[in-house]
Every structure is written in structure tokens, then in C-alpha cells.
Amino acid sequence: MTAPAPGISPPGISLGIDIGGTFTDLVLHDPALRRSGSLKILTTHADPVQGILEGTRRLLGEASVEPGEITRVVHATTLFTNALIERKGALTALITTEGFRDILKIGRERRYELFDLMLRPPAPLMPDELRLEVPERVKADGTVVTPLDLAALDAAADRAVAAGAEAIAILFLHSDLHPAHEQAAAARIAARHPGLAVTASHAIVREVREYERGCTASANAYVAPMAQRYLARLGVELGALGIAAPLLLTLSNGGMTHVEEAVRAPVQLLESGPAAGALAAAYLAGGQEPRILAFDMGGTTAKLSVVEHGEPEVVFGFEAARQARFIEGSGLPIRISTVDLMEIGAGGGSIARRDAIGLLKVGPDSAGSEPGPACYGRGGTEVTVTDANLLLGYLDPSRFAGGRLPLDRRAAQAAMARLAGALGITPEAAAWGIHDVVTEAMASAARTHMAERGRDASGFTLVCTGGGGPVHGYHLARKLGIRRVIVPPEAGVASALGLLTAPPRVDRVATLGRRLLAWKAAELESAFASLEAEARAVLARGGWAEAAPPAERVVDARCVGQGAHMPVTLPPAPWPREDAALHAMITEAFTAAYQERFRRPPPAVPIDLVHARIVLRGAAHPLALPPARRGWEGPAQAHQRLILSGGASAMADIYSRPGLMPGFSARGPALVEESGSTLVVGEKGRFSVLENGNILVELDA
């Protein structure tokens, strides 16, 4: 019997694993029986694989599932982006064109805060002494001015290895158009130093602008050794458990790929964890809600993203490791396709303190899982958002994380009393202040995110996932003027479930760099066809090529004289073969895209084509969810508990979510508890259970 290809699995059980800064979430899903199981455990930062293995064993045992029944494992993680932020990646060297060793240090030569005298520009990922030069030079037209000096290349690579470098990034001028020198250099270094991780910039992103391309290649090299070791070990350890299914990885753009491609370009995984929340919101609520603001709050960060017509917005670049969280230019530009996210340091583990001028500050630093919030009873002494939510009455200490992590109320009270004393207020006021301050931080981020995209949050439905999303969703919606909030079942582990909805996806880009009228139809068709062939080869190695539809074609274009370009989606192939007809088709698409973005037609000047892009998706894996249960007639209310909100106390009705059936509705104040999270509904809200099992919260005006 022939074994299935790596990416194609017969009907069976899928395992989704999402590693966050505080919790690791796991989900089992069986589409045939339409059943699932989930688990939330603390992330083991010293060795994340151990946490995965422990959680997998426990989840398989609780669900009575044999390891051999699992047919695929889909994984997302924040490990690699955390390595960038914390500067804990591999010691990396840069080899570049002679005379350009400081290109990553100079950057765009712009101050992101003009009047900040203490401004820290984003530093390169490699030390000064490991930014090395070799004689070589190719002009933009392909003319070789200086051949690659192989002896100098060998000396530079040897110097890097002698200094302890585990990885080398290669960045030569104009390699996006003419990569021959980079290809030769990468092959020679790999042959000379077989254990070294070598990244050539053109192999990761073939775009103009050396600074952006160099930062992306450097980031890839910086995390590559970690990714190789981590993914290899995870695959071996899962196999030792008896799981023979392929290990698949979620990409930052919400797609999915196989291990070979993930190891080649791990930079594509930087935002895989945050993207999972947007995928979950799109899948679990996107069919009923055309305009969604996805809000995923975990233990370390909160993520916000726009989902319209069931699809998260995807952009072709973002900034990693920003020095100033909301300011463009303060981070490292990474040119990969990614779900368009606003991410802030606001989670259950965010630490609260009195700042230098005596005000309450929350985050962005987090207690994480080690030692965690004070109420975890694991040695933490600083008060966090989770401590505040516990003391406000929003969390049941005996049911937190499914009862696997009982909370210590006395430890939370002691930590809160210390902070309240420093602030000169009561512990109750301090607890509400923490909840309100962190919610306002998320509201400010949402306002910025929406305003930059020309949208008004009040016209969207807020979809809350993550352990903290349902806890803060009601008050966040009130701050944003949102009237509808949706909380899917098992919201606390929804991101892990969202992983299982990701389709296989490959994005590829190449520089065009000429005016539209200078291109012949056959040349453009050849450029896009070459990218599509490359992408289909990646899908084929994962076993997905047969089911892949035609690729989506996009061109980055601008008016001549403009510095910035924008993506323009083009009609699907086949294209007109006549030059004039193709030029007219692209001009029409560019004009429509320009008018939609700027609300005015473009000026009557020629059009520049900057990049060609293709997006190739395979078929998404079917994911049938269990139907909402029916036939229940008993009372859903379990008991009441005193909660604090806005400085006032109230008795809230407590409901167990598994006991709520479609059609049930009630007014706040109320708490709806389930294993991974608690939904907080204030007194000006009403909630009802929809036919699909989602809870809809409607806020009074």
C-alpha cells in the first residue's frame, strides 16, 4: 500500500499545537466523528518541546486517542519572533559587497522620533566585527563590474566561523535581479563549512532595496540554527510517542507549509502564532459576520486584526522587534507576507507597577509562565492582569485553565496590597485600574490600527479568542463603540483550532523594475509563470500540488516619480497576448486600486512595475465542528458571585458554558465559564447562544 504524501492525509484526527509566551494550547479534532478535545498548559521556556510532549500525552489520554490515529500535526510558535525581540538567536555574520558593510547599521537614515534625544535606532542582528566585505559588484543592468573574489570570500567565511558564527547572511548589491554572485557564494560557503546555516538574500526575498532585503535575510539566518534544531527534535520526539503523521507549520500569512520549507526559510514563521488567532476568528465567525475585528489576548500579548468577508488582511511586510511599539521605523523591516496585525504587550501576565511619576503602568513586560503571576503560586511576586481579574471576581480560582492550575487568591491579594500602598489607593481600586488601563491600551492600539486603514471600529463585530479575550472583550467593545461581540466555543484554545483551518500556501516575489509600457506581454507572462512554477514545486514537496487552483497574481506598482508602491491584484490567467491589451488590463487594475486607496484617480503619468508576486494556495483541510447540543430544558445558572466593575460592585450570575444551549439568552452582569476562559458580560450587555454554538453579546447604546 502506497503511503500518502506528506501533506495529504486520509480522514483522521488532527493535532494543533500553538506555543505562546505563557501557555501552550493543544487541540485534537476528528472531522469524521466531529469531535474535539483541548488542553491548555504552561509553556516550558527552557525546553518548549517538553511542554508539547507532556501536553500531547495528557490530551491523548483524556480523549482516549491512540497516537497512531493522528494523521497530521499543525504547529505555530512565537519562539522565533521572541528570539529576535530578545536577541537570543544564533551568532550571525553578514557578508556583503565591498564598501557596504554598514548598510544594515545606517538603515534608512531616518529618526523615527525626531525630538527624542535618547532615541535608539534598531541595531543589526550581527556585531560590527562580523559584518564583512568581499570584492564583487554587479550593476542593476547585469553588467559585472567586479567579479566575485573567491579567495576573499573564503577568508571572510573562515573569519566568521573562527569567531563562533553559526550562521551567515549574504547580501550583494542588485542580487534581486542578478543573483549569480550570491548563488556562487552560498554554494561555496556551504561546501567549505557544511555545518553552517547559510542564507542568500535573493533566496528569501527578491525585492529591491538592500536594507529591507538584508534585514530579512539576516533575520532568517539569525533564527535558522534554532529552527533546524527545534523542528528536527520535535519531529523525532513526536515520532517516539507513536505519532507518525507529518509535522506541518503555520506561516505568518495564515497559510501552511511542510518542514523542509520551514527549515529553508524560518523567517516566514515569525508571526505564525499571532496569525492563528485571526484564522480562528475568520473560520469560527467569518461566515456570519462580514466585518470582524479579531481580538486574541493571551498571557503575554494581545493581537488585533481586521477580517472582512472571511479573510484576514495580508500585507507584504512588517517590522519586528520595534524599539517603540507603535512607531514605524523603530524596528527591523521584514519583507514577508503576513496577516496584518497590531500586537501589543498586554496579556494576563502583564506586570503592573507604579511608574516614575507615580502613575499606574501595565506591561509591556510579562511574568510569563516562569514564575508567572503571583496567583499562580510559582514564586511570582509582582501583580499582573490575571491577579487583578481574579480579585475583581472574574475568574474562578478552582477552574482556571480547566482546573489544572488552581489560583492562589491570598498571594494575589498580598501582591495587590503592595502595589495599592505604593499608589496610595485601595486594593479594589488598584485591581480595577489594572483591568481598565490594560483594556485602554488595547483600545488605543485598535483605534490606531483601524484609523491607519481608513476604517471605523464601531462598524465591526469584535470576535474574542485567547484566555484573556472574553474577559476583556466587553469593556474593550464599550471603549471602541462596538455593539456586537462574538465569543466562539473553547475560545481559550481557539488559536490552536484555527491552525487546523490553514490552507497550504506559497508566496513568491521577483523584481520587475521597469515601466509598464517597456514590458512585452510574453515577458510579463514568463515572469509570473516562472514564479508560479517555483511555488508549485514547493507545494509538490508537501503533497498539495494536485489540488492547487491557479495562482493569484499581484503586481507592486506606482506612478512614475513616486517612491512608494502598492499591491495591485490582477485578473487571473490566461492573459491577453497582445502588448497593448495587457497594458490596458494592468492600467485598469492599477487605476481601480489607486482610486480605492486614495479616493481619487491617479495622475496622468506612466506606471512603474516594481515587483511581480504570486500567491498559490492548496485546498484547505476539511474541519467539521461538533453541532451545538439541543434538548436542554433545565436552568443554566449555577450560582452568583460578587464582581467589581468601574469601581462599583454587583452580583453576577455564573453560567457554565457547556450547559448553555442554542437560543438561551440572559442579561448581565454575568460570567460564562468554560475550561479555557471566562466571558465577562457587564450590566449594559445581553448575551445569547447562537445556532452554531457561538455566544453573541449585544451592548446597549
Side-chain angles (χ1 to χ4, degrees):
M1 180 176 177
T2 304
I8 300 176
S9 56
I13 300 176
S14 298
L15 172 62
I17 305 169
D18 181 23
I19 296 183
T22 303
F23 285 99
T24 295
D25 299 335
L26 301 98
V27 165
L28 281 173
H29 182 73
D30 183 347
L33 300 179
R34 305 183 74 184
R35 61 187 172 94
S36 63
S38 63
L39 180 68
K40 181 183 285 286
I41 64 170
L42 290 171
T43 296
T44 52
H45 288 282
D47 185 1
V49 172
Q50 284 302 316
I52 291 176
L53 298 176
E54 176 190 343
T56 301
R57 291 190 194 97
R58 187 184 301 176
L59 184 57
L60 292 177
E62 292 178 358
S64 299
V65 171
E66 293 297 324
E69 295 182 77
I70 296 177
T71 56
R72 65 174 186 148
V73 179
V74 188
H75 182 31
T77 177
T78 59
L79 293 176
F80 308 135
T81 192
N82 288 343
L84 278 184
I85 294 170
E86 299 169 8
R87 297 297 173 112
K88 293 182 178 178
L91 182 61
T92 302
L94 173 73
I95 295 180
T96 189
T97 304
E98 188 174 46
F100 289 85
R101 68 181 299 272
D102 289 328
I103 192 168
L104 300 187
K105 193 166 188 177
I106 295 170
R108 298 191 184 101
E109 214 173 13
R110 290 205 305 260
R111 295 177 64 87
Y112 57 85
E113 279 277 40
L114 190 59
F115 301 108
D116 184 357
L117 300 181
M118 306 300 290
L119 179 143
R120 292 186 304 149
L125 293 169
M126 63 284 298
D128 290 354
E129 63 272 15
L130 286 183
R131 296 200 308 277
L132 310 172
E133 301 175 341
V134 297
E136 76 83 36
R137 190 67 178 267
V138 179
K139 295 173 66 175
D141 64 3
T143 302
V144 177
V145 178
T146 304
L148 175 62
D149 188 329
L150 296 179
L153 177 71
D154 291 344
D158 293 348
R159 179 179 168 186
V161 172
E166 294 183 76
I168 289 180
I170 304 171
L171 173 66
F172 292 156
L173 262 62
H174 306 304
S175 60
D176 56 311
L177 285 167
H178 309 289
H181 280 188
E182 278 196 359
Q183 290 169 342
R188 189 174 182 92
I189 294 172
R192 189 176 180 88
H193 300 285
L196 204 61
V198 181
T199 296
S201 70
H202 77 276
I204 304 301
V205 54
R206 293 188 66 172
E207 293 189 24
V208 296
R209 297 176 177 166
E210 274 69 23
Y211 174 57
E212 287 81 354
R213 191 167 75 253
C215 282
T216 306
S218 297
N220 191 79
Y222 192 69
V223 300
M226 174 193 297
Q228 291 168 4
R229 291 191 295 265
Y230 171 77
L231 294 176
R233 180 171 170 233
L234 179 57
V236 169
E237 295 287 359
L238 289 175
L241 283 183
I243 299 175
L247 175 61
L248 308 174
L249 286 305
T250 303
L251 300 167
S252 299
N253 55 29
M256 181 177 64
T257 193
H258 48 80
V259 169
E260 180 185 344
E261 176 67 6
V263 169
R264 184 194 72 85
V267 71
Q268 298 179 93
L269 310 180
L270 288 183
E271 293 291 284
S272 64
L279 289 174
Y283 185 82
L284 297 172
Q288 294 76 37
E289 302 288 337
R291 286 154 58 92
I292 285 172
L293 179 60
F295 168 49
D296 180 27
M297 182 178 179
T300 305
T301 58
K303 284 77 67 175
L304 296 146
S305 59
V306 173
V307 178
E308 294 188 288
H309 308 295
E311 288 284 339
E313 291 193 6
V314 174
V315 293
F316 299 111
F318 75 106
E319 284 188 357
R322 280 183 171 177
Q323 305 294 321
R325 190 168 290 273
F326 297 117
I327 301 179
E328 184 179 354
S330 66
L332 300 172
I334 306 295
R335 300 299 299 173
I336 61 169
S337 61
T338 179
V339 172
D340 192 10
L341 293 161
M342 171 67 80
E343 186 172 2
I344 65 171
S350 295
I351 297 171
R353 60 174 59 87
R354 179 184 184 272
D355 68 10
I357 59 174
L359 300 178
L360 175 63
K361 181 180 180 180
V362 184
D365 50 332
S366 172
S369 61
E370 298 166 349
C375 61
Y376 282 11
R378 296 166 60 89
T381 58
E382 296 181 282
V383 68
T384 68
V385 173
T386 297
D387 295 303
N389 289 333
L390 173 63
L391 298 180
L392 290 171
Y394 299 159
L395 305 177
D396 184 338
S398 65
R399 300 189 62 188
F400 187 76
R404 298 179 180 88
L405 183 60
L407 300 182
D408 186 338
R409 186 178 183 86
R410 289 185 179 179
Q413 288 172 330
M416 189 67 70
R418 288 191 294 271
L419 176 64
L423 294 169
I425 58 178
T426 66
E428 293 77 14
W432 171 251
I434 292 169
H435 181 94
D436 193 47
V437 166
V438 77
T439 305
E440 180 57 40
M442 293 182 287
S444 297
R447 294 186 193 103
T448 300
H449 189 72
M450 302 295 280
E452 288 176 346
R453 289 147 186 80
R455 294 175 172 88
D456 178 8
S458 63
F460 284 68
T461 297
L462 188 70
V463 178
C464 302
T465 57
V471 179
H472 291 261
Y474 171 85
H475 292 112
L476 177 61
R478 288 191 62 81
K479 289 178 180 290
L480 294 174
I482 291 175
R483 302 285 299 278
R484 291 166 57 85
V485 178
I486 285 180
V487 180
E490 299 190 49
V493 294
S495 293
L497 184 64
L499 302 179
L500 304 182
T501 71
R505 173 169 172 155
V506 182
D507 288 36
R508 286 293 183 267
V509 60
T511 299
L512 296 176
R514 279 154 51 187
R515 294 187 180 183
L516 171 61
L517 296 181
W519 283 93
K520 295 186 178 297
E523 290 178 314
L524 268 181
E525 174 62 36
S526 176
F528 279 96
S530 176
L531 289 177
E532 185 168 345
E534 183 182 339
R536 286 194 182 276
V538 176
L539 284 189
R541 288 193 290 274
W544 300 301
E546 295 299 323
E552 177 184 334
R553 294 181 171 188
V554 177
V555 65
D556 288 346
R558 64 189 176 195
C559 296
V560 168
Q562 290 180 330
H565 51 75
M566 65 178 184
V568 178
T569 300
L570 300 175
W575 282 355
R577 296 185 178 181
E578 300 77 19
D579 296 346
L582 183 64
H583 295 161
M585 181 193 79
I586 295 176
T587 300
E588 182 181 354
F590 175 79
T591 301
Y594 191 100
Q595 187 137 3
E596 181 180 356
R597 172 170 290 199
F598 300 111
R599 300 297 187 263
R600 58 179 296 177
V605 297
I607 297 171
D608 263 343
L609 301 187
V610 184
H611 302 125
R613 299 183 183 275
I614 64 97
V615 178
L616 184 62
R617 296 181 178 89
H621 199 280
L623 182 64
L625 297 177
R629 290 173 297 169
R630 298 180 177 278
W632 165 88
E633 296 179 354
Q637 180 182 342
H639 54 280
Q640 290 186 319
R641 186 162 69 235
L642 184 69
I643 66 170
L644 299 176
S645 178
S649 61
M651 293 301 296
D653 294 328
I654 313 298
Y655 300 89
S656 175
R657 181 154 190 173
L660 299 181
M661 303 298 159
F664 177 82
S665 64
R667 287 202 64 86
L671 304 175
V672 182
E673 299 177 336
E674 59 180 337
S675 61
S677 185
T678 297
L679 168 61
V680 176
V681 182
E683 62 180 7
K684 293 187 178 181
R686 180 179 188 86
F687 74 93
S688 55
V689 182
L690 304 180
E691 290 296 314
N692 59 7
N694 289 342
I695 289 181
L696 170 65
V697 181
E698 297 174 287
L699 282 68
D700 299 339

mmCIF file of all heavy atoms in Angstrom, residues 61-87:
data_model
loop_
_atom_site.group_PDB
_atom_site.id
_atom_site.type_symbol
_atom_site.label_atom_id
_atom_site.label_comp_id
_atom_site.label_asym_id
_atom_site.label_seq_id
_atom_site.Cartn_x
_atom_site.Cartn_y
_atom_site.Cartn_z
ATOM 1 N N GLY A 61 -4.480 10.922 26.302
ATOM 2 C CA GLY A 61 -5.072 10.078 27.339
ATOM 3 C C GLY A 61 -6.479 10.512 27.694
ATOM 4 O O GLY A 61 -7.388 9.677 27.836
ATOM 5 N N GLU A 62 -6.701 11.808 27.842
ATOM 6 C CA GLU A 62 -8.030 12.299 28.208
ATOM 7 C C GLU A 62 -9.049 12.042 27.106
ATOM 8 O O GLU A 62 -10.229 11.819 27.385
ATOM 9 C CB GLU A 62 -7.961 13.792 28.512
ATOM 10 C CG GLU A 62 -7.179 14.135 29.777
ATOM 11 C CD GLU A 62 -7.105 15.629 30.016
ATOM 12 O OE1 GLU A 62 -7.622 16.392 29.172
ATOM 13 O OE2 GLU A 62 -6.537 16.034 31.057
ATOM 14 N N ALA A 63 -8.601 12.101 25.841
ATOM 15 C CA ALA A 63 -9.522 11.903 24.718
ATOM 16 C C ALA A 63 -9.611 10.451 24.267
ATOM 17 O O ALA A 63 -10.360 10.144 23.331
ATOM 18 C CB ALA A 63 -9.080 12.771 23.537
ATOM 19 N N SER A 64 -8.851 9.566 24.919
ATOM 20 C CA SER A 64 -8.827 8.143 24.547
ATOM 21 C C SER A 64 -8.475 7.962 23.071
ATOM 22 O O SER A 64 -9.128 7.221 22.327
ATOM 23 C CB SER A 64 -10.180 7.484 24.865
ATOM 24 O OG SER A 64 -10.454 7.557 26.236
ATOM 25 N N VAL A 65 -7.433 8.671 22.646
ATOM 26 C CA VAL A 65 -6.961 8.614 21.259
ATOM 27 C C VAL A 65 -5.579 7.979 21.239
ATOM 28 O O VAL A 65 -4.711 8.330 22.035
ATOM 29 C CB VAL A 65 -6.908 10.026 20.638
ATOM 30 C CG1 VAL A 65 -6.201 10.003 19.280
ATOM 31 C CG2 VAL A 65 -8.314 10.593 20.488
ATOM 32 N N GLU A 66 -5.371 7.028 20.344
ATOM 33 C CA GLU A 66 -4.066 6.404 20.176
ATOM 34 C C GLU A 66 -3.176 7.291 19.292
ATOM 35 O O GLU A 66 -3.670 7.895 18.336
ATOM 36 C CB GLU A 66 -4.208 5.032 19.529
ATOM 37 C CG GLU A 66 -4.922 4.010 20.406
ATOM 38 C CD GLU A 66 -4.146 3.724 21.689
ATOM 39 O OE1 GLU A 66 -2.885 3.710 21.617
ATOM 40 O OE2 GLU A 66 -4.781 3.529 22.735
ATOM 41 N N PRO A 67 -1.889 7.387 19.584
ATOM 42 C CA PRO A 67 -1.005 8.229 18.768
ATOM 43 C C PRO A 67 -1.068 7.903 17.281
ATOM 44 O O PRO A 67 -1.002 8.804 16.442
ATOM 45 C CB PRO A 67 0.385 7.944 19.347
ATOM 46 C CG PRO A 67 0.132 7.509 20.751
ATOM 47 C CD PRO A 67 -1.170 6.764 20.718
ATOM 48 N N GLY A 68 -1.213 6.640 16.946
ATOM 49 C CA GLY A 68 -1.248 6.260 15.546
ATOM 50 C C GLY A 68 -2.480 6.733 14.810
ATOM 51 O O GLY A 68 -2.525 6.699 13.574
ATOM 52 N N GLU A 69 -3.512 7.181 15.535
ATOM 53 C CA GLU A 69 -4.727 7.684 14.888
ATOM 54 C C GLU A 69 -4.542 9.095 14.338
ATOM 55 O O GLU A 69 -5.345 9.557 13.527
ATOM 56 C CB GLU A 69 -5.892 7.684 15.874
ATOM 57 C CG GLU A 69 -6.339 6.318 16.358
ATOM 58 C CD GLU A 69 -7.525 6.421 17.287
ATOM 59 O OE1 GLU A 69 -8.653 6.624 16.786
ATOM 60 O OE2 GLU A 69 -7.323 6.332 18.517
ATOM 61 N N ILE A 70 -3.526 9.801 14.797
ATOM 62 C CA ILE A 70 -3.315 11.177 14.345
ATOM 63 C C ILE A 70 -2.702 11.157 12.951
ATOM 64 O O ILE A 70 -1.702 10.488 12.704
ATOM 65 C CB ILE A 70 -2.404 11.937 15.333
ATOM 66 C CG1 ILE A 70 -3.105 12.057 16.685
ATOM 67 C CG2 ILE A 70 -2.035 13.315 14.799
ATOM 68 C CD1 ILE A 70 -2.276 12.709 17.748
ATOM 69 N N THR A 71 -3.300 11.896 12.035
ATOM 70 C CA THR A 71 -2.844 11.890 10.643
ATOM 71 C C THR A 71 -2.117 13.164 10.245
ATOM 72 O O THR A 71 -1.526 13.219 9.165
ATOM 73 C CB THR A 71 -4.028 11.680 9.692
ATOM 74 O OG1 THR A 71 -5.017 12.688 9.937
ATOM 75 C CG2 THR A 71 -4.648 10.307 9.891
ATOM 76 N N ARG A 72 -2.157 14.195 11.065
ATOM 77 C CA ARG A 72 -1.343 15.383 10.795
ATOM 78 C C ARG A 72 -1.202 16.199 12.071
ATOM 79 O O ARG A 72 -2.082 16.175 12.952
ATOM 80 C CB ARG A 72 -1.925 16.254 9.675
ATOM 81 C CG ARG A 72 -3.250 16.876 10.018
ATOM 82 C CD ARG A 72 -3.702 17.842 8.943
ATOM 83 N NE ARG A 72 -4.908 18.532 9.387
ATOM 84 C CZ ARG A 72 -5.234 19.771 9.064
ATOM 85 N NH1 ARG A 72 -4.442 20.470 8.280
ATOM 86 N NH2 ARG A 72 -6.344 20.320 9.504
ATOM 87 N N VAL A 73 -0.080 16.902 12.172
ATOM 88 C CA VAL A 73 0.192 17.796 13.291
ATOM 89 C C VAL A 73 0.495 19.164 12.708
ATOM 90 O O VAL A 73 1.384 19.299 11.853
ATOM 91 C CB VAL A 73 1.392 17.312 14.128
ATOM 92 C CG1 VAL A 73 1.661 18.276 15.284
ATOM 93 C CG2 VAL A 73 1.155 15.901 14.652
ATOM 94 N N VAL A 74 -0.244 20.175 13.134
ATOM 95 C CA VAL A 74 -0.045 21.547 12.646
ATOM 96 C C VAL A 74 0.425 22.400 13.814
ATOM 97 O O VAL A 74 -0.212 22.420 14.868
ATOM 98 C CB VAL A 74 -1.335 22.126 12.030
ATOM 99 C CG1 VAL A 74 -1.032 23.463 11.366
ATOM 100 C CG2 VAL A 74 -1.935 21.158 11.021
ATOM 101 N N HIS A 75 1.518 23.110 13.614
ATOM 102 C CA HIS A 75 2.196 23.787 14.725
ATOM 103 C C HIS A 75 2.432 25.256 14.407
ATOM 104 O O HIS A 75 2.774 25.615 13.278
ATOM 105 C CB HIS A 75 3.537 23.078 14.971
ATOM 106 C CG HIS A 75 4.336 23.612 16.104
ATOM 107 N ND1 HIS A 75 3.783 24.183 17.224
ATOM 108 C CD2 HIS A 75 5.697 23.664 16.297
ATOM 109 C CE1 HIS A 75 4.738 24.551 18.053
ATOM 110 N NE2 HIS A 75 5.911 24.258 17.507
ATOM 111 N N ALA A 76 2.237 26.108 15.395
ATOM 112 C CA ALA A 76 2.603 27.528 15.320
ATOM 113 C C ALA A 76 3.320 27.886 16.605
ATOM 114 O O ALA A 76 3.037 27.315 17.662
ATOM 115 C CB ALA A 76 1.373 28.409 15.135
ATOM 116 N N THR A 77 4.238 28.828 16.519
ATOM 117 C CA THR A 77 5.015 29.167 17.695
ATOM 118 C C THR A 77 5.494 30.610 17.627
ATOM 119 O O THR A 77 5.680 31.167 16.539
ATOM 120 C CB THR A 77 6.239 28.228 17.820
ATOM 121 O OG1 THR A 77 7.017 28.623 18.949
ATOM 122 C CG2 THR A 77 7.103 28.274 16.568
ATOM 123 N N THR A 78 5.688 31.198 18.789
ATOM 124 C CA THR A 78 6.293 32.534 18.890
ATOM 125 C C THR A 78 7.775 32.446 19.234
ATOM 126 O O THR A 78 8.402 33.463 19.511
ATOM 127 C CB THR A 78 5.572 33.363 19.964
ATOM 128 O OG1 THR A 78 5.667 32.673 21.232
ATOM 129 C CG2 THR A 78 4.111 33.577 19.616
ATOM 130 N N LEU A 79 8.354 31.258 19.230
ATOM 131 C CA LEU A 79 9.748 31.087 19.654
ATOM 132 C C LEU A 79 10.706 31.919 18.815
ATOM 133 O O LEU A 79 11.650 32.528 19.330
ATOM 134 C CB LEU A 79 10.148 29.615 19.568
ATOM 135 C CG LEU A 79 9.465 28.645 20.532
ATOM 136 C CD1 LEU A 79 9.904 27.219 20.248
ATOM 137 C CD2 LEU A 79 9.756 29.021 21.974
ATOM 138 N N PHE A 80 10.484 31.969 17.507
ATOM 139 C CA PHE A 80 11.447 32.622 16.629
ATOM 140 C C PHE A 80 11.339 34.143 16.703
ATOM 141 O O PHE A 80 12.356 34.837 16.699
ATOM 142 C CB PHE A 80 11.280 32.115 15.197
ATOM 143 C CG PHE A 80 11.308 30.614 15.095
ATOM 144 C CD1 PHE A 80 10.386 29.929 14.324
ATOM 145 C CD2 PHE A 80 12.246 29.879 15.804
ATOM 146 C CE1 PHE A 80 10.410 28.549 14.240
ATOM 147 C CE2 PHE A 80 12.281 28.499 15.728
ATOM 148 C CZ PHE A 80 11.359 27.831 14.946
ATOM 149 N N THR A 81 10.122 34.651 16.768
ATOM 150 C CA THR A 81 9.989 36.107 16.913
ATOM 151 C C THR A 81 10.473 36.561 18.282
ATOM 152 O O THR A 81 11.060 37.639 18.426
ATOM 153 C CB THR A 81 8.538 36.553 16.643
ATOM 154 O OG1 THR A 81 8.504 37.977 16.520
ATOM 155 C CG2 THR A 81 7.595 36.133 17.753
ATOM 156 N N ASN A 82 10.280 35.732 19.314
ATOM 157 C CA ASN A 82 10.819 36.071 20.630
ATOM 158 C C ASN A 82 12.346 36.106 20.608
ATOM 159 O O ASN A 82 12.974 36.924 21.282
ATOM 160 C CB ASN A 82 10.333 35.073 21.682
ATOM 161 C CG ASN A 82 8.865 35.244 22.009
ATOM 162 O OD1 ASN A 82 8.269 36.278 21.704
ATOM 163 N ND2 ASN A 82 8.271 34.244 22.627
ATOM 164 N N ALA A 83 12.950 35.204 19.825
ATOM 165 C CA ALA A 83 14.409 35.211 19.714
ATOM 166 C C ALA A 83 14.907 36.515 19.097
ATOM 167 O O ALA A 83 15.951 37.049 19.491
ATOM 168 C CB ALA A 83 14.876 34.022 18.874
ATOM 169 N N LEU A 84 14.149 37.055 18.135
ATOM 170 C CA LEU A 84 14.506 38.345 17.553
ATOM 171 C C LEU A 84 14.357 39.470 18.565
ATOM 172 O O LEU A 84 15.240 40.314 18.716
ATOM 173 C CB LEU A 84 13.619 38.644 16.342
ATOM 174 C CG LEU A 84 13.985 38.036 14.995
ATOM 175 C CD1 LEU A 84 13.032 38.544 13.938
ATOM 176 C CD2 LEU A 84 15.407 38.376 14.612
ATOM 177 N N ILE A 85 13.221 39.483 19.255
ATOM 178 C CA ILE A 85 12.950 40.557 20.205
ATOM 179 C C ILE A 85 13.961 40.548 21.335
ATOM 180 O O ILE A 85 14.481 41.598 21.745
ATOM 181 C CB ILE A 85 11.514 40.418 20.752
ATOM 182 C CG1 ILE A 85 10.498 40.649 19.624
ATOM 183 C CG2 ILE A 85 11.266 41.395 21.897
ATOM 184 C CD1 ILE A 85 9.073 40.289 20.012
ATOM 185 N N GLU A 86 14.269 39.359 21.852
ATOM 186 C CA GLU A 86 15.165 39.229 23.000
ATOM 187 C C GLU A 86 16.636 39.125 22.592
ATOM 188 O O GLU A 86 17.513 39.045 23.455
ATOM 189 C CB GLU A 86 14.768 37.996 23.815
ATOM 190 C CG GLU A 86 13.350 38.074 24.367
ATOM 191 C CD GLU A 86 12.868 36.752 24.950
ATOM 192 O OE1 GLU A 86 13.698 35.820 25.060
ATOM 193 O OE2 GLU A 86 11.680 36.652 25.287
ATOM 194 N N ARG A 87 16.908 39.117 21.287
ATOM 195 C CA ARG A 87 18.263 38.969 20.763
ATOM 196 C C ARG A 87 18.923 37.702 21.310
ATOM 197 O O ARG A 87 20.027 37.722 21.823
ATOM 198 C CB ARG A 87 19.108 40.207 21.076
ATOM 199 C CG ARG A 87 18.584 41.496 20.426
ATOM 200 C CD ARG A 87 18.627 41.408 18.910
ATOM 201 N NE ARG A 87 17.991 42.518 18.235
ATOM 202 C CZ ARG A 87 18.649 43.434 17.505
ATOM 203 N NH1 ARG A 87 19.947 43.366 17.384
ATOM 204 N NH2 ARG A 87 17.979 44.384 16.893
#
